[in-house]
Amino acid sequence: ILFSMLISPIQAKENSSSNWMENISGDTKLSALSIPGTHDSATQYVSLSPIFQCQDTAIKTQLENGYRYLDIRLVLKNDDLILKHNFAKCRKDKSIFSTSLTLDDVLNDIYTFLDQNPSETVIFCVKKENSKDDLNKVKSILNSKINTNSWYIENRIPTLDEVRGKIVLATRFKNEYGLYLNWEEQGDRTILDVPHKKEDINGSESLFVQDRFNYGVEDKIQAIEYCLENSMSNDSTFYLNFTSTSGKGKIGHPRNYAKKINAYLKEYDWQKKNYGIFIVDFADQELAHKSYLTNKKSQSILIRFDFLLS
């Protein structure tokens, strides 16, 4: 008697927000994924918070909620690097007497997360926040933190398997190490039909960025939507779509703007497609979930067992 047992292919199990990359094929380029990210990631406890706060969760929580792109603003303080937004200091806790949040504080949280979730990767995009800082000193301190076993430091868009369990260094300045993700500031208030701009990474790979941070809310939503509908992310092109804005006035109120923008995004009709890197203010788990679920997961394999019984 010939007995056949057939196991149908089923979608791989849905993972938690801490390890959503686990079931994605390892040969996928990072630029061919939808990746949720946070803007001014270290501002949970920032001075002058009504103006400069852009997040209300710690970086540790952002990672657990599914965010995999971090916007890191570094400033020199003696022989160390601390986190700031503009001139406002990012602190370790909510006390006004709290000490500054340092680069080491942030890295320790990322290392712990990746140790616990080795299927994941974190894109660590660094900006020199104070134009008066000595760039060579900033680079020297930053590069001294790199452990090549824990970091990806090539200027080439990697596959997921190349960077699982690692920090992907990206810098908005020329550096000896890391992806060169630089773009001109987009603070112009002129409303453009095509709000993104193309930049070069390494001569063969490129970057499209929408970061119109001085648009009013309605114009910003239109810019975001344009980029959601026209994402050009693929194996050789990263697409960064910033949803953050400081508004059209002299003083911004990021939380008020984010409430309206995030509500729009939660109602948006997300499809199974590559949206690129999607970078938000006041990021929560629901927004990350909507973004990373658009990625195609690996499928289980069709297996047939034939038994010949006599």
Side-chain angles (χ1 to χ4, degrees):
I1 300 171
L2 182 66
F3 175 73
S4 296
M5 182 173 67
L6 199 63
I7 300 178
S8 299
I10 57 172
Q11 188 75 18
K13 69 180 177 65
E14 182 179 323
N15 289 359
S16 73
S17 53
S18 289
N19 63 347
W20 64 263
M21 291 178 159
E22 185 175 69
N23 285 332
I24 294 175
S25 177
D27 61 1
T28 308
K29 290 281 194 76
L30 292 192
S31 54
L33 290 171
S34 297
I35 298 177
T38 57
H39 166 247
D40 264 302
S41 306
T43 55
Q44 180 188 21
Y45 302 121
V46 67
S47 54
L48 298 173
S49 58
I51 302 171
F52 292 113
Q53 186 184 23
C54 297
Q55 305 298 331
D56 53 11
T57 56
I59 285 177
K60 172 181 179 291
T61 304
Q62 294 168 28
L63 296 175
E64 291 169 348
N65 284 345
Y67 293 92
R68 297 291 177 268
Y69 172 100
L70 299 177
D71 176 21
I72 302 297
R73 313 293 182 94
L74 297 178
V75 172
L76 280 173
K77 184 178 181 182
N78 301 322
D79 292 323
D80 202 359
L81 291 170
I82 63 171
L83 282 291
K84 281 191 175 183
H85 178 192
N86 201 307
F87 59 82
K89 181 178 70 174
C90 299
R91 303 188 296 255
K92 294 185 182 183
D93 58 50
K94 62 183 178 181
S95 168
I96 61 172
F97 303 107
S98 173
T99 55
S100 296
L101 188 69
T102 68
L103 175 58
D104 284 335
D105 294 327
V106 173
L107 291 179
N108 287 336
D109 283 342
I110 300 173
Y111 289 143
T112 298
F113 174 79
L114 291 175
D115 284 345
Q116 296 171 350
N117 300 280
S119 62
E120 309 304 290
T121 188
V122 176
I123 301 171
F124 192 78
C125 189
V126 175
K127 180 184 179 184
K128 182 173 76 76
E129 189 73 344
N130 184 351
S131 62
K132 296 180 180 179
D133 281 347
D134 182 341
L135 177 58
N136 287 329
K137 188 170 183 180
V138 171
K139 293 196 294 186
S140 177
I141 297 172
L142 172 64
N143 294 342
S144 72
K145 309 290 184 181
I146 294 172
N147 174 343
T148 54
N149 292 325
S150 305
W151 292 69
Y152 176 83
I153 56 173
E154 295 185 41
N155 187 26
R156 172 181 62 81
I157 300 173
T159 64
L160 185 53
D161 267 354
E162 290 181 287
V163 294
R164 291 193 195 274
K166 293 186 177 184
I167 299 172
V168 177
L169 177 63
T171 60
R172 291 183 61 180
F173 48 78
K174 282 285 189 181
N175 191 32
E176 293 82 355
Y177 307 108
L179 281 165
Y180 182 51
L181 301 187
N182 186 42
W183 60 92
E184 286 186 20
E185 294 285 342
Q186 297 182 6
D188 190 345
R189 289 187 167 90
T190 303
I191 306 305
L192 303 175
D193 291 335
V194 179
H196 62 216
K197 186 173 181 181
K198 185 177 181 181
E199 308 282 354
D200 180 64
I201 295 177
N202 55 25
S204 60
E205 295 174 321
S206 57
L207 175 71
F208 276 88
V209 182
Q210 181 283 116
D211 187 18
R212 302 291 166 182
F213 58 83
N214 278 325
Y215 276 13
V217 170
E218 296 306 319
D219 291 324
K220 182 66 176 183
I221 287 174
Q222 288 185 19
I224 295 164
E225 184 174 37
Y226 177 93
C227 295
L228 290 173
E229 300 296 326
N230 297 279
S231 171
M232 298 179 184
S233 265
N234 53 50
D235 281 356
S236 61
T237 305
F238 262 126
Y239 204 113
L240 272 61
N241 190 4
F242 282 83
T243 74
S244 50
T245 185
S246 58
K248 294 187 293 186
K250 292 183 178 180
I251 298 176
H253 299 282
R255 185 184 292 273
N256 290 340
Y257 308 142
K259 284 180 181 178
K260 297 177 182 178
I261 292 170
N262 291 354
Y264 158 79
L265 293 168
K266 289 176 181 180
E267 295 298 320
Y268 181 76
D269 184 20
W270 296 87
Q271 303 295 312
K272 286 286 185 181
K273 60 170 278 189
N274 173 16
Y275 288 100
I277 302 176
F278 172 72
I279 304 156
V280 302
D281 275 351
F282 295 94
D284 62 17
Q285 190 174 38
E286 182 182 354
L287 272 177
H289 189 75
K290 286 182 177 294
S291 175
Y292 68 68
L293 280 186
T294 66
N295 290 297
K296 182 180 179 181
K297 294 184 178 181
S298 299
Q299 300 276 329
S300 61
I301 300 172
L302 183 68
I303 305 174
R304 178 171 178 148
F305 299 98
D306 288 331
F307 300 96
L308 185 61
L309 303 177
S310 59

